[in-house]
Amino acid sequence: MLIQRIKISNFKTYLSLDLDLTVDDDRPIILIGGSNGGGKTTLFEAISGALYGLKIESKEHFMELLNQGAVNKVKPEISLQITFVGKVLGQQQKYILKRNYILNPQGRPLESVSLNMNGNMYVYGTMTAPKERVRAEQEISKIIKANLPQELSQYFLFDAMQSSELLKKNVFQQTIRDNFENVLGSKSICTKKNVQPKSYSKSGQSSDWKPKKRPKNIVSLCNQKEQLVIDLNASLAEQDRLYKYMSSVEDEYQRAKEGAQQAANLSKRIQDVDGKIRVITEDAANYAENLKAFVDNIEINVFLPKLASNLSQEINNILRVKEQLQKQSTGTYPIETLRDVTSKIIDYLKELSLCSQAVDEENVISHIVAMQNTTNAKDPYDYLNTAEVDALRELPKKGNGNQFVSIDRKRQDMEIQLANLDNLRTEKRTLEQTQAGGNGLLIANYEDAKRSVDKLKTQEDSLKNEIQRLEKRIHQFDVQIQQEPDVKFDTLVKLRPFFDKVADNLLKKKKTQIETEMQSQLNRLLVSYKGHVGRVELSDSMENFNIKLYHSAGNEISLNQLNAASKQIFIQVLLKVLRNLGDYNPPVMIDTVMGVLDNESRDALMEEYFPQLAEQTILLCTTSEIRTDSDYIKLEPFISKTYTLHRNVEEQNTTIDEGYFGIPLNQ
């Protein structure tokens, strides 16, 4: 297993970090320097958290892990992503493992996990359906376990300052047992339950376990409880689903609420856009009508104006004659008017006795008509009626301009307007969706989800209370349900001696290798007994396992009497040997690499330990641990990359630069 990259977002001292951790084959070391409190341990924790999860228990815990410089500036979300290569079933694969953490609207931490294995995706989260989550989680766990099981990670990702504590805890036995039992796969099986296959009497004598007959009442109560637990899990799953939805649309919901308050402005904008669309549409319709009329009357619109321009002089003469005759005939009256006026005048004169009673009206009217006719000139164009004269009057005007040019200019204007019509319609749809469709539906769905969560919380409380009530009733019966026989588990318990025997056989096979390798390493690195470690002795059995160290003179060297520096060297040698002889090939990451070592021990580690420790070794240290004027020079030929962490107290953020405290790497 080799770590290629670690990405951190909003985790503790890191607001954002993207760090390349690839190494060359002949340069296995990555050196990362920083002052105390600069973020070295946080980087250490981030890699471990990316692999195995952060186990965030509460909102308060989440806020403790969240980068404080990000509070109220970016979305409160912690993200850890690690890229690594490893072998599964002999095949080397590239993996991208990402873990995201957020708080749902109720303040509950939510986790989502994704693993990309050469394009194959495995995804699960807090809200994933139970069956799907179990399947994806098992696949991801299987891949991680195949490269570096979590129970063994403490021996490869560790703080050197704590190595002496490992000795105090007597973890040597457990270290080696973990290695073998994980190879066998028996550890997880045999520790699933803490149940004895036998029951014991008060006298301490064992007897075969016999199940007690269950009363019918308790069977019914247990069935009820089981159903309530199913209902409770379903309620919690639905809550998680709703929480996930509400979290995913939280920002959109807030914007939608703000948008709803601006509905009046949106409505006016929609009206304005709609008005522009309507004007363009009406203009287009009018243009179409005008174009059709132009085509339908193309003779009049094109040819007639040209003819009229050539006949304009003749037409003007006709119109002038007509106008003169019209002026001359302004005093002429129609026959009906003459008849009526003449009758009234004659009757009036007769009443006044101013004319003879024998005057003939018709003669008078005929005389007046004759007088009018003698004063009016003859019309040479009397064959033209009024409508035809009007047409002649308009005809010269048509020759003054080309209607085709006007129509074509309108066409160009319409093309510009129609080109913008689609944009206007799109803008209108967007505004309408913003005003009603999208926002209204989003607000309704979000608030419905919130109400559903409240109901489910009430249901959850009710189910929990009912389960507690049933448990009290069940416990009234003197029946130890947990002692019911489990055939599968009992079989595994019976096989435990077999597993122990196999583990012992494996230990015996590797015992000599471990002893020989440890003796060689200690004689070079354990300064206080350099060259005088006579032998290392491991017990033959995993039961009550122990490890002993002997001087070349034959006496046993008490491990508890070693000083702090020697204890650190001893445990680190043990871990290196187990790593080399074990079934895993993980990177080694060490924080506070020098711990309490003296100068001689430091030199031994620099020259003989770190360069051959692993295919990838990540060292986190200060300038007092890896000194720039001495230690760094010894390590540099084995270093692929160097970085320096910088803590910005004001911004509450850690950044990283290439180079070790200003010293560029020479390669």
Side-chain angles (χ1 to χ4, degrees):
M1 175 185 178
L2 294 174
I3 300 174
Q4 293 186 329
R5 186 169 235 94
I6 181 70
K7 292 184 179 181
I8 306 172
S9 178
N10 299 335
F11 179 63
K12 288 194 168 181
T13 64
Y14 294 97
L15 180 63
S16 179
L17 178 69
D18 186 355
L19 192 60
D20 181 5
L21 296 175
T22 56
V23 295
D24 301 328
D25 292 340
D26 57 343
R27 291 172 171 262
I29 297 176
I30 293 178
L31 184 62
I32 302 176
S35 58
N36 292 329
K40 299 189 303 300
T41 302
T42 299
L43 179 61
F44 185 90
E45 294 172 348
I47 290 176
S48 178
L51 287 171
Y52 309 112
L54 292 179
K55 308 296 185 297
I56 303 177
E57 300 174 352
S58 63
K59 179 181 179 180
E60 291 74 20
H61 188 196
F62 177 87
M63 296 307 298
E64 288 176 5
L65 299 179
L66 185 69
N67 177 263
Q68 295 304 302
V71 176
N72 299 324
K73 293 182 180 179
V74 298
K75 184 178 181 180
E77 180 177 3
I78 297 172
S79 177
L80 303 175
Q81 178 177 304
I82 187 170
T83 303
F84 62 95
V85 294
K87 288 186 178 180
V88 176
L89 300 177
Q91 297 293 322
Q92 183 162 296
Q93 304 281 358
K94 180 179 179 180
Y95 306 93
I96 301 176
L97 177 60
K98 186 175 183 180
R99 298 179 187 269
N100 283 9
Y101 301 89
I102 62 172
L103 294 176
N104 65 20
Q106 304 302 317
R108 179 185 298 179
L110 303 179
E111 180 191 45
S112 61
V113 183
S114 67
L115 177 71
N116 185 336
M117 183 181 71
N118 287 346
N120 297 320
M121 292 296 299
Y122 301 94
V123 181
Y124 73 86
T126 307
M127 292 72 63
T128 307
K131 289 184 178 179
E132 296 179 7
R133 173 171 180 147
V134 169
R135 182 186 64 81
E137 193 170 9
Q138 286 178 343
E139 291 294 332
I140 294 176
S141 179
K142 186 189 303 179
I143 290 170
I144 296 174
K145 190 177 184 68
N147 287 279
L148 180 58
Q150 185 174 5
E151 57 266 28
L152 293 181
S153 64
Q154 61 178 312
Y155 309 122
F156 302 101
L157 309 176
F158 66 94
D159 185 343
M161 285 290 290
Q162 303 300 319
S163 56
S164 60
E165 294 298 317
L166 296 178
L167 189 63
K168 292 180 181 178
K169 295 175 184 177
N170 194 27
V171 300
F172 302 117
Q173 174 187 350
Q174 193 62 43
T175 302
I176 298 177
R177 287 188 68 148
D178 285 343
N179 196 288
F180 289 122
E181 289 183 341
N182 275 283
V183 172
L184 291 173
S186 62
K187 182 179 180 179
S188 60
I189 297 174
C190 293
T191 57
K192 284 183 179 179
K193 294 183 179 180
N194 186 21
V195 182
Q196 296 294 330
K198 305 286 186 180
S199 62
Y200 294 86
S201 64
K202 291 182 180 179
S203 62
Q205 300 294 321
S206 65
S207 61
D208 293 334
W209 188 91
K210 295 182 180 180
K212 299 178 181 179
K213 187 176 181 180
R214 294 178 124 199
K216 291 183 179 179
N217 289 345
I218 196 172
V219 174
S220 175
L221 292 174
C222 289
N223 290 338
Q224 293 179 43
K225 176 187 172 184
E226 183 178 356
Q227 184 58 50
L228 290 175
V229 171
I230 293 173
D231 295 341
L232 177 61
N233 291 333
S235 176
L236 293 173
E238 180 63 11
Q239 287 183 59
D240 288 338
R241 185 188 69 79
L242 293 172
Y243 285 142
K244 182 179 182 180
Y245 165 74
M246 293 167 66
S247 298
S248 65
V249 301
E250 178 72 24
D251 294 341
E252 289 81 1
Y253 170 73
Q254 295 299 333
R255 288 195 294 269
K257 291 288 286 185
E258 294 174 0
Q261 298 173 359
Q262 302 172 357
N265 293 334
L266 287 174
S267 179
K268 186 176 184 305
R269 289 176 60 190
I270 292 172
Q271 290 177 2
D272 291 342
V273 174
D274 192 52
K276 294 178 181 178
I277 294 172
R278 187 166 55 253
V279 169
I280 294 175
T281 305
E282 291 175 354
D283 287 349
N286 292 335
Y287 170 75
E289 291 179 2
N290 294 337
L291 182 62
K292 184 178 183 302
F294 176 80
V295 174
D296 292 342
N297 300 281
I298 194 166
E299 300 91 349
I300 297 174
N301 293 321
V302 177
F303 302 111
L304 193 57
K306 293 182 178 182
L307 179 62
S309 65
N310 296 327
L311 298 175
S312 61
Q313 185 175 355
E314 182 64 26
I315 292 171
N316 289 333
N317 289 334
I318 295 172
L319 294 175
R320 186 171 59 255
V321 171
K322 285 288 188 181
E323 288 174 359
Q324 288 176 352
L325 292 172
Q326 179 67 31
K327 291 178 181 179
Q328 292 175 4
S329 63
T330 50
T332 305
Y333 299 97
I335 188 64
E336 291 80 8
T337 303
L338 286 174
R339 192 181 300 280
D340 182 60
V341 173
T342 302
S343 176
K344 290 179 180 179
I345 292 173
I346 292 174
D347 288 341
Y348 181 72
L349 292 175
K350 285 180 180 181
E351 288 179 5
L352 297 178
S353 299
L354 295 177
C355 71
S356 172
Q357 295 294 326
V359 174
D360 189 355
E361 291 181 10
E362 289 300 323
N363 290 333
V364 175
I365 292 171
S366 298
H367 179 73
I368 294 173
V369 170
M371 291 180 62
Q372 285 186 159
N373 290 336
T374 58
T375 58
N376 292 334
K378 183 175 177 61
D379 184 2
Y381 306 107
D382 58 355
Y383 56 85
L384 297 174
N385 59 34
T386 303
E388 290 171 336
V389 174
D390 291 339
L392 287 174
R393 185 177 286 107
E394 293 297 323
L395 194 56
K397 297 179 180 178
K398 295 182 180 292
N400 294 334
N402 192 335
Q403 194 173 355
F404 177 79
V405 176
S406 175
I407 290 288
D408 189 61
R409 187 178 297 111
K410 184 64 176 177
R411 176 190 62 79
Q412 295 176 18
D413 293 339
M414 287 308 306
E415 286 180 351
I416 297 173
Q417 294 186 65
L418 291 173
N420 192 43
L421 185 61
D422 288 340
N423 294 333
L424 290 172
R425 286 171 174 168
T426 301
E427 183 181 355
K428 181 183 177 182
R429 285 195 301 269
T430 302
L431 292 172
E432 288 175 341
Q433 291 172 357
T434 303
Q435 180 187 42
N439 282 1
L441 184 61
L442 177 62
I443 292 171
N445 289 343
Y446 184 93
E447 294 178 350
D448 286 345
K450 191 173 185 299
R451 286 189 291 270
S452 297
V453 167
D454 293 338
K455 291 180 181 179
L456 289 169
K457 287 293 293 181
T458 303
Q459 182 188 48
E460 177 190 344
D461 295 337
S462 177
L463 289 170
K464 286 180 177 179
N465 291 334
E466 183 63 18
I467 290 172
Q468 289 179 354
R469 186 183 67 81
L470 286 174
E471 286 178 342
K472 290 180 180 179
R473 293 184 62 187
I474 292 171
H475 290 162
Q476 292 176 357
F477 297 88
D478 189 17
V479 178
Q480 301 296 323
I481 301 174
Q482 67 273 20
Q483 292 184 0
E484 289 186 3
D486 186 331
V487 177
K488 183 179 179 180
F489 177 69
D490 287 347
T491 302
L492 292 174
V493 171
K494 292 176 181 179
L495 289 175
R496 183 57 193 254
F498 169 76
F499 291 136
D500 290 340
K501 185 177 180 180
V502 174
D504 290 343
N505 289 335
L506 286 175
L507 173 61
K508 290 177 182 179
K509 288 183 179 181
K510 292 191 176 185
K511 176 176 179 290
T512 302
Q513 290 177 280
I514 295 173
E515 292 172 340
T516 302
E517 183 65 22
M518 283 198 68
Q519 180 185 356
S520 174
Q521 292 280 337
L522 291 172
N523 272 320
R524 294 199 309 271
L525 300 174
L526 191 62
V527 175
S528 55
Y529 291 95
K530 191 172 184 178
H532 293 283
V533 177
R535 74 177 192 277
V536 177
E537 185 177 283
L538 277 70
S539 58
D540 293 331
S541 173
M542 297 296 294
E543 188 74 20
N544 299 319
F545 178 83
N546 62 73
I547 182 170
K548 294 181 179 181
L549 187 65
Y550 291 90
H551 195 274
S552 56
N555 58 290
E556 182 180 352
I557 301 172
S558 175
L559 298 179
N560 290 328
Q561 297 303 315
L562 295 175
N563 60 34
S566 297
K567 288 179 180 178
Q568 180 180 332
I569 293 291
F570 185 90
I571 193 68
Q572 289 184 219
V573 166
L574 174 62
L575 297 178
K576 179 182 179 182
V577 172
L578 291 178
R579 180 192 179 282
N580 293 339
L581 298 178
D583 295 276
Y584 301 97
N585 188 31
V588 176
M589 189 172 185
I590 307 176
D591 194 9
T592 56
V593 293
M594 292 305 171
V596 293
L597 299 182
D598 53 39
N599 288 335
E600 195 172 357
S601 298
R602 294 162 66 101
D603 292 340
L605 288 183
M606 294 290 176
E607 297 171 1
E608 301 188 49
Y609 184 76
F610 290 137
Q612 292 83 36
L613 178 57
E615 293 180 14
Q616 182 183 37
T617 301
I618 302 172
L619 304 179
L620 305 170
C621 57
T622 64
T623 51
S624 63
E625 296 176 88
I626 304 294
R627 295 165 297 194
T628 57
D629 59 345
S630 56
D631 304 325
Y632 178 78
I633 297 173
K634 296 176 182 177
L635 279 182
E636 190 175 33
F638 307 99
I639 299 176
S640 282
K641 290 180 176 65
T642 57
Y643 300 105
T644 302
L645 304 175
H646 301 283
R647 176 67 172 162
N648 188 323
V649 179
E650 183 178 353
E651 297 292 332
Q652 303 184 77
N653 181 29
T654 293
T655 58
I656 193 164
D657 292 331
E658 293 187 4
Y660 183 69
F661 293 100
I663 303 174
L665 181 64
N666 293 321
Q667 291 185 321

